[in-house]
Amino acid sequence: MYRPPEDMRSGPKKQKNSRPSAPRPSLMSVVAALLSPFFRKAGNSVEKMAGRGQDIAQTWLTPLPERLSAARSENLDPRLLDRLVHDPEAVVRLELAWNENVPEDVLYKLRHDADATVSGVARRRLIDKNVMV
């Protein structure tokens, strides 16, 4: 009959004089530490970039009808505008481009949108406002 070696019969080995392990850093803190020199070179802070990531996550968690109504609203704060300009749904960006209360700098961002309809509407709105496109 087969008998396992002695060291396998006694179960897992316990390490002698083992030190308690230090808490492991989170993945986000490690990535932030590695990338912070590049963000500083580009003029951005790690905190700003982390905030941008939270905004993107918040956009994905907000239902589409709420994002559409926000794009149509009259009172748009700059942080909301930034989230809507980078919304993953083209229909939200299109509603934002049609909104009469959107500032020109947002229309400038939307005129280079990946969706041809969004960029076309933004260009048309800039032409209607007699702003050089």
Side-chain angles (χ1 to χ4, degrees):
M1 177 153 129
Y2 172 75
R3 284 187 65 160
E6 188 66 35
D7 59 340
M8 291 182 75
R9 279 187 269 162
S10 61
K13 286 186 175 181
K14 293 183 179 178
Q15 295 179 349
K16 295 179 181 179
N17 299 333
S18 64
R19 289 185 283 164
S21 61
R24 294 178 59 178
S26 69
L27 177 62
M28 190 65 174
S29 64
V30 171
V31 170
L34 290 173
L35 296 179
S36 61
F38 300 107
F39 290 139
R40 287 195 185 96
K41 257 187 182 176
N44 295 323
S45 68
V46 175
E47 293 80 18
K48 181 179 176 183
M49 297 305 286
R52 178 77 188 113
Q54 290 171 350
D55 284 348
I56 292 170
Q58 186 64 37
T59 300
W60 279 96
L61 295 174
T62 307
L64 181 61
E66 288 181 26
R67 295 188 333 244
L68 284 171
S69 66
R72 294 179 189 128
S73 72
E74 294 179 12
N75 300 325
L76 297 165
D77 67 359
R79 190 173 170 117
L80 177 64
L81 279 173
D82 187 49
R83 280 181 26 199
L84 293 173
V85 165
H86 296 99
D87 195 278
E89 295 290 333
V91 69
V92 174
R93 298 189 310 271
L94 184 62
E95 288 293 331
L96 189 64
W98 278 117
N99 190 336
E100 294 290 327
N101 302 308
V102 170
E104 292 173 4
D105 62 323
V106 173
L107 291 175
Y108 273 110
K109 290 178 185 177
L110 289 174
R111 82 182 166 154
H112 296 295
D113 195 89
D115 187 89
T117 307
V118 174
S119 61
V121 168
R123 286 188 180 114
R124 181 81 249 162
R125 292 279 322 287
L126 286 169
I127 290 171
D128 291 345
K129 288 185 170 198
N130 293 323
V131 177
M132 185 181 289
V133 180

